[in-house]
DNA sequence: TTCTGTTATATTGTTCGCAACTTAATTGAA
DNA sequence: TTCAATTAAGTTGCGAACAATATAACAGAA
């Protein structure tokens, strides 16, 4: 190795960690305006797209476990943005539905992705499309690789 | 726009968010072995490199605030990995030092970066160096852009 | 039908991350 | 010298995030 892997400045992972938090800091003022956290926002993104979902569906789609999702949904429910009820066909399953208020919030959220893209990408307009595609490609590849390794290790253990 | 920006599957930010957590999941079993969390690990990385630091220095280097760092240091201290004492020259400032036990832990941590690199990068050996450099470059650029925008907005507000 | 194992969700307990606030020490201007 | 402003760290409170556990409903075999 040509350099010390234990140096913070050489760590790819620390970059991901720092970047993720800086990104959340960019979202915060925009989401504060809607009274949402990022986790709540992406939960609503899923519901705006699908109208309804079970708790398990949401956990899978957002890669969160029920220990995160259950209290989060409880808070969205007390904010009157969603409703929850158990399915008659299977009383174990809880279905999550948007309320009218929750559906209406989408209109206030439409400006967020564009706003964040401005923070995230270079101000050079010509570069943006290319950079976006490259980044997306790399992130997808890296995420897939991580998941693959995790499954291998879980299987082998 | 050619597609819906509010679709979760189109969101660059969700990729960062999901990737960061998948990465932490890769670290967890390795760090459990040392009895550390990721935040504690990078705090020790900084101390292994610099031997000692003030609380403010650590906050700046890791982009964490004192509300995160103070209790974290308290836990590292009760684990006997660090010591804290106020500087005689300025009683406001707290200096953090590694204990012998904290210094010794570095030897158990040396295998971690290589292990994580295996999870993170493709198994194609030839591709690794190139991919690592590209990813690093993109992350650095994106992080810089985010910080730049944040400062502009803070100034303009 | 009954018992066993599985599935879906919720709860508990710990740490992180951050905003807002507190405390105490230092600085600097009047 | 005095006192108001600043600085460094710690505390409080809340919402993630996750492991471990609990609860309840369902599914299948005997």
């Amino acid at each position: 190795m040509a350099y010390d892997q234990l140096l913070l400045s050489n760590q790819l992972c620390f970059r991901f960690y720092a970047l993720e938090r800086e990104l959340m800091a960019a979202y915060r003022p925009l989401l504060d305006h809607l009274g949402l956290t990022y986790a709540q926002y992406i939960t609503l993104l899923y519901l705006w797209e699908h109208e309804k979902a079970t708790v398990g569906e949401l956990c899978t789609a957002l890669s969160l476990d029920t220990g995160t999702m259950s209290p989060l949904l409880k808070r969205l429910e007390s904010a009157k943005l969603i409703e929850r009820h158990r399915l008659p066909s299977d009383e174990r399953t809880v279905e999550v539905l948007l309320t009218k208020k929750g559906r209406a919030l989408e209109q206030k959220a439409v400006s967020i992705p564009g706003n964040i893209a401005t923070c995230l990408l270079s101000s050079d307009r010509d570069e943006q499309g290319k950079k976006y595609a490259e980044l997306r490609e790399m992130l997808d590849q890296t995420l897939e690789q991580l998941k693959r390794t995790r499954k291998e290790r879980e299987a082998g253990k």
Side-chain angles (χ1 to χ4, degrees), chain A:
Chain A
M1 266 303 159
Y3 54 84
D4 189 336
Q5 286 193 323
L6 282 180
L7 293 184
L8 202 50
S9 52
N10 290 333
Q11 294 232 351
L12 204 53
C13 300
F14 180 68
R15 290 174 161 77
F16 277 115
Y17 171 75
L19 182 47
E20 194 268 345
R21 283 179 299 127
E22 191 69 32
L23 196 48
M24 291 305 131
Y27 270 104
R28 207 163 295 119
L30 307 176
L31 292 175
D32 277 353
H33 203 248
L34 308 191
L36 297 175
T37 64
Y38 183 76
Q40 290 167 6
Y41 168 67
I42 58 174
T43 302
L44 289 176
L45 279 186
Y46 188 91
L47 289 169
W48 288 330
E49 187 177 347
H50 297 91
E51 186 63 28
K52 64 182 180 183
T54 66
V55 173
E57 230 174 296
L58 286 169
C59 287
T60 303
L62 309 181
S63 331
L64 290 168
D65 78 348
T66 63
T68 303
M69 192 50 78
S70 277
L72 187 157
L73 292 173
K74 195 186 284 183
R75 284 184 283 272
L76 287 179
E77 192 172 40
S78 18
K80 310 253 185 254
L81 297 171
I82 63 162
E83 280 173 9
R84 288 189 291 177
H85 48 74
R86 292 189 178 269
L87 287 183
S89 58
D90 184 344
E91 291 282 340
R92 291 172 304 178
T93 304
V94 170
E95 189 171 64
V96 180
L97 294 173
L98 285 167
T99 62
K100 187 185 278 188
K101 186 179 170 192
R103 222 173 285 111
L105 199 61
E106 185 176 9
Q107 294 316 309
K108 288 197 184 178
V110 287
S111 61
I112 292 181
N115 195 320
I116 292 291
T118 311
C119 303
L120 199 57
L121 298 169
S122 108
S123 49
D124 181 339
R125 295 283 158 192
D126 291 340
E127 285 259 314
Q128 283 199 12
K130 182 166 143 282
K131 197 169 258 176
Y132 178 94
E134 279 177 24
L135 245 179
R136 176 173 164 158
E137 174 69 13
M138 287 206 125
L139 294 176
D140 283 349
Q141 280 182 18
T142 309
L143 185 53
E144 279 318 301
Q145 182 61 30
L146 271 174
K147 284 184 178 169
R148 201 155 35 232
T149 314
R150 181 150 75 118
K151 270 174 198 156
E152 278 169 24
R153 293 194 178 181
E154 273 168 8
K157 184 58 186 308

